[in-house]
């Protein structure tokens, strides 16, 4: 089995030299037809990221304005 990373869409796009939109489209639309198991795993990770996004944004804002 291949080594798995919890890389962000942004960091993945940087590695492959494409846009975040391209990466997101490939893993949400095209991957389903290529590797259904991997698609399910990626979908879970994207859902976790989406559910935590507001928390990370709040933490970043707090750091920005903290004296």
């Amino acid at each position: 089995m291949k080594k798995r990373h919890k890389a962000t869409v942004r960091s993945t796009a940087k590695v492959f030299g494409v846009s975040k939109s391209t990466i997101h489209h490939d893993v949400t639309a095209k991957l389903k037809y290529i590797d259904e198991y991997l698609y399910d795993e990626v979908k879970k990770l994207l859902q976790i990221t989406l559910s935590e996004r507001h928390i990370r944004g709040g933490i970043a804002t707090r750091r920005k304005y903290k004296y």
Side-chain angles (χ1 to χ4, degrees):
M1 182 168 221
K2 296 177 185 176
K3 184 177 180 182
R4 306 292 181 186
H5 301 276
K6 285 190 176 181
T8 62
V9 172
R10 182 173 294 196
S11 65
T12 304
K14 196 173 196 178
V15 168
F16 287 102
V18 296
S19 70
K20 294 182 305 180
S21 299
T22 300
I23 295 296
H24 193 270
H25 180 262
D26 287 350
V27 299
T28 56
K30 295 181 180 181
L31 188 58
K32 182 191 295 189
Y33 303 105
I34 298 169
D35 186 341
E36 197 167 335
Y37 175 76
L38 184 58
Y39 168 78
D40 290 337
E41 294 296 310
V42 169
K43 188 175 175 182
K44 288 176 195 173
L45 285 174
L46 288 175
Q47 188 58 41
I48 290 169
T49 302
L50 181 64
S51 68
E52 294 175 346
R53 183 170 56 188
H54 69 283
I55 296 168
R56 287 192 313 273
I59 291 169
T61 301
R62 176 195 260 160
R63 272 194 230 134
K64 181 178 179 180
Y65 292 106
K66 189 174 181 181
Y67 297 137

